[in-house]
């Protein structure tokens, strides 16, 4: 996500030129195989089935959600947690996302055990504990289902409204992750992201007025519903989140040279020329990033444009909210790999997606990092590139200078240290090794050191990469 610093508009020319000639090793026809299940992170193999119906405005939704999952860990699951991220603003007093009729079923040795249960809200009502009927052992499966109501609040944010347009990011309840550190129930961060999810499958049906378009994560098929309404059925596989928007958008679409379908949805004050420029840029950029990190695997991408957003850009799998800013679009499309395909714990290690997306943006724009200063940016002994969002939320003026600016410059310096070809190969191979998986700082440090005979210990120390 980009909230502050932006590159100048002329950057669009650079990316249009550099994307036209793909570097060696271009991945077009195939994508890496999915990363094997990780027994340290559970619940595994989440699958979400959601049916929602909107009111006439597209700002209020109600329906049902069903989540199936398995326990891939040798440690039993006593409970699961639902993250209701968008309750951060209203909290328990005025929640925007309401879960009712909660129930669980559990499959253990082919025995189905239904049980209705009431959960407990935590972390400002952004986490709901769901106790399971019995401990779920390794290899067993379970289901959580509930009725769901979503009310989109005023405010032009990643979850908010701009007049007749609603933006619905992080609204669907999703499973929290339990790993070696325990359950991740971090608070919501308005400065950056708190989200940590495993690759999941979504089957979502949106019942909405026909005059409202609903761009979303995944591939959509429209069929007629009740008079004046449309059923939009959306499938998305191996994605970490699902987001959508609703409103009387203008829409244009195209297909990249590699076959990726991109549609641009614009609010009323976006000019047709600006929308077309952003579409052309996106079509070239998605192929340029594919050449660098592995072919974009999802087939479709929706870009929603509104210059009144409270942020410069926000990424979701196959779905981007953005201003008319070329550098921001390039950065958010890079997040399709660095956070989307190659996941990370965005609260504990934000540099793993923001620094990498910023570096990928620079590479796509032909920027070699020549403008990076060699002077270290540190202002205190406890400031580190690998600090979590809990640190940056209390030092907000340092977030962009360190995570975006110095983080991308550190990767430029790593490229100069190990060589451009080695760096390009490192990132391609690293993306392949963590495709649909989760990246950690330790993983990246190990991969980087294995790629070069240069001792990187001084580099990690200088850039405070722990």
């Amino acid at each position: 996500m980009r909230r502050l610093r932006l590159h100048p508009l002329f950057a669009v020319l650079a990316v249009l030129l550099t994307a036209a000639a793909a570097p060696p090793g271009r991945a077009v026809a195939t994508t890496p195989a999915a990363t094997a299940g990780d027994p340290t992170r559970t619940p595994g193999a989440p699958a979400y089935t959601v049916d929602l119906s909107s009111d006439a405005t597209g700002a209020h939704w109600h329906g049902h959600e069903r989540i199936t999952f398995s326990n891939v860990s040798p440690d039993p699951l006593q409970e699961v947690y639902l993250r209701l991220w968008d309750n951060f603003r209203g909290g328990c007093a005025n929640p925007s996302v309401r879960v009712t009729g909660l129930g669980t079923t559990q499959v253990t040795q082919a025995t189905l055990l239904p049980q209705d249960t009431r959960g407990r809200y935590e972390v400002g009502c952004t986490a709901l504990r769901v106790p399971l009927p019995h401990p779920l052992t390794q290899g067993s499966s379970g289901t959580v289902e509930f009725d769901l109501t979503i009310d989109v609040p005023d405010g032009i944010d990643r979850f908010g409204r701009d007049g007749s347009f609603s933006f619905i990011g992080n609204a669907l309840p999703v499973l929290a992750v339990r790993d070696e550190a325990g359950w991740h129930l971090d608070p919501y961060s308005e400065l950056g992201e708190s989200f940590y999810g495993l690759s999941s499958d979504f089957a979502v049906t949106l019942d909405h007025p026909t005059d409202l378009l609903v761009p979303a994560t995944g591939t959509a098929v429209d069929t007629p519903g009740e008079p004046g309404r449309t059923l939009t059925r959306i499938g998305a596989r191996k994605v970490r989140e699902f987001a959508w928007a609703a409103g009387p958008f203008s829409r244009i679409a195209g297909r990249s040279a590699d076959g990726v379908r991109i549609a641009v949805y614009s609010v009323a004050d976006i000019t047709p020329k600006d929308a077309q420029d952003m579409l052309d840029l996106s079509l070239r950029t998605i192929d340029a990033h594919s050449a660098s990190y592995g072919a974009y695997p999802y087939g479709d991408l929706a870009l929603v444009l509104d210059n009144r957003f409270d942020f410069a850009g926000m990424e979701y799998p196959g779905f981007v909210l953005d201003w008319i800013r070329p550098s921001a679009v390039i950065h958010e499309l890079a997040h399709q790999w660095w956070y989307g395909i190659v996941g990370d714990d965005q609260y504990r290690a934000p540099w793993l997606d923001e620094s990498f997306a910023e570096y990928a943006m620079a590479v796509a724009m032909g920027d070699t990092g020549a403008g990076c200063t060699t002077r270290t940016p540190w202002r205190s002994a406890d400031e580190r590139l690998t600090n979590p969002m809990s640190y940056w939320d209390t030092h907000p003026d340092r977030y962009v200078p360190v995570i975006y600016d110095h983080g991308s410059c550190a990767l430029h310096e790593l490229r100069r240290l190990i060589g451009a070809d080695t760096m390009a190969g490192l990132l391609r191979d690293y993306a392949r090794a963590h495709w649909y998986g989760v990246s950690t700082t330790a993983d990246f440090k190990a991969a980087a050191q294995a790629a070069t005979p240069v001792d990187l210990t001084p580099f990690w120390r200088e850039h405070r990469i722990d």
Side-chain angles (χ1 to χ4, degrees):
M1 182 180 187
R2 291 182 59 82
R3 286 188 178 270
L4 299 172
R5 188 176 60 88
L6 293 172
H7 285 260
L9 289 175
F10 66 76
V12 66
L13 179 59
V15 75
L16 289 173
L17 292 174
T18 57
R26 184 181 184 91
V28 176
T30 62
T31 58
T35 300
D38 183 347
T40 68
R41 298 182 179 94
T42 201
Y48 298 82
T49 303
V50 185
D51 292 277
L52 293 173
S53 179
S54 82
D55 69 347
T57 70
H60 305 281
W61 298 79
H62 68 274
H64 192 78
E65 179 172 341
R66 183 174 187 266
I67 309 171
T68 63
F69 57 91
S70 63
N71 181 18
V72 299
S73 168
D75 298 323
L77 274 177
Q78 305 280 355
E79 73 277 309
V80 295
Y81 284 85
L82 299 177
R83 295 313 312 251
L84 284 63
W85 288 112
D86 287 337
N87 285 344
F88 81 97
R89 183 178 288 123
C92 296
N94 186 28
S96 296
V97 180
R98 297 187 298 281
V99 168
T100 57
L102 179 68
T104 63
T105 59
Q106 188 168 317
V107 178
T108 308
Q109 297 179 348
T111 301
L112 193 64
L113 301 172
Q115 175 178 315
D116 291 328
T117 183
R118 291 186 178 183
R120 185 178 71 245
Y121 288 96
E122 302 178 13
V123 197
C125 277
T126 67
L128 174 61
R129 179 180 178 270
V130 183
L132 299 178
H134 301 283
L136 195 64
T137 58
Q138 187 174 31
S140 299
S141 299
T143 299
V144 174
E145 57 184 302
F146 45 86
D147 295 324
L148 177 64
T149 301
I150 298 170
D151 295 314
V152 184
D154 290 328
I156 312 171
D157 207 337
R158 52 193 174 191
F159 179 61
R161 284 183 284 170
D162 181 5
S164 58
F165 301 93
S166 294
F167 311 102
I168 312 169
N170 304 110
L172 289 186
V174 294
L175 293 174
V177 177
R178 191 188 75 183
D179 61 18
E180 292 175 329
W183 285 106
H184 286 257
L185 304 178
D186 302 302
Y188 186 96
S189 173
E190 292 191 78
L191 180 66
E193 286 81 44
S194 304
F195 317 126
Y196 176 23
L198 304 183
S199 292
S200 308
D201 295 341
F202 287 82
V204 179
T205 298
L206 301 177
D207 179 344
H208 58 93
T210 300
D211 60 354
L212 300 183
L213 299 184
V214 287
T217 296
T219 299
V221 175
D222 288 342
T223 58
E226 297 294 325
R229 298 184 69 85
T230 295
L231 296 176
T232 300
R233 293 183 171 88
I234 308 156
R237 300 195 65 232
K238 298 295 183 183
V239 298
R240 298 176 195 280
E241 299 175 274
F242 183 95
W244 76 101
F249 295 100
S250 298
R251 179 185 184 276
I252 58 174
R255 187 186 294 263
S256 78
D258 286 353
V260 180
R261 297 174 295 271
I262 298 180
V264 171
Y265 297 81
S266 304
V267 301
D269 61 353
I270 300 295
T271 68
K273 181 181 184 303
D274 280 343
Q276 186 64 53
D277 286 347
M278 293 300 97
L279 175 60
D280 293 343
L281 172 63
S282 299
L283 293 170
R284 293 182 182 272
T285 299
I286 203 76
D287 287 354
H289 289 330
S290 289
S292 295
Y293 314 115
Y296 179 76
Y298 300 127
D300 291 273
L301 186 141
L303 174 63
V304 180
L305 300 174
D306 188 335
N307 280 332
R308 286 159 48 84
F309 283 135
D310 289 345
F311 49 86
M314 179 63 201
E315 74 282 356
Y316 295 97
F319 182 88
V320 170
L321 304 173
D322 229 314
W323 293 354
I324 303 294
R325 292 292 188 273
S327 58
V329 170
I330 299 166
H331 174 99
E332 302 309 334
L333 292 183
H335 273 306
Q336 297 302 310
W337 284 263
W338 306 112
Y339 135 83
I341 298 167
V342 181
D344 64 283
D345 181 342
Q346 294 184 296
Y347 191 83
R348 303 295 175 92
W351 89 284
L352 285 172
D353 56 277
E354 294 298 356
S355 299
F356 280 60
E358 192 78 349
Y359 172 82
M361 178 194 74
V363 170
M365 291 166 55
D367 182 353
T368 63
C372 289
T373 177
T374 57
R375 181 177 57 85
T376 55
W378 316 117
R379 288 190 180 175
S380 67
D382 61 347
E383 193 169 81
R384 316 193 75 75
L385 182 55
T386 48
N387 277 350
M389 284 308 307
S390 56
Y391 178 88
W392 305 116
D393 282 336
T394 57
H395 301 80
D397 62 318
R398 300 297 297 149
Y399 178 58
V400 167
V402 175
I403 294 296
Y404 288 79
D405 299 346
H406 182 67
S408 60
C409 282
L411 294 173
H412 281 297
E413 176 60 25
L414 180 61
R415 187 190 69 227
R416 286 190 287 270
L417 189 62
I418 67 177
D421 290 344
T422 300
M423 183 66 169
L426 165 64
L427 292 179
R428 279 197 303 271
D429 292 344
Y430 190 75
R432 178 178 293 272
H434 292 81
W435 203 261
Y436 300 141
V438 176
S439 168
T440 68
T441 297
D443 291 338
F444 181 70
K445 290 174 67 174
Q449 186 59 80
T452 179
V454 178
D455 181 6
L456 296 180
T457 303
F459 172 82
W460 309 129
R461 184 183 306 115
E462 176 186 354
H463 295 285
R464 299 191 181 182
I465 299 173
D466 298 330

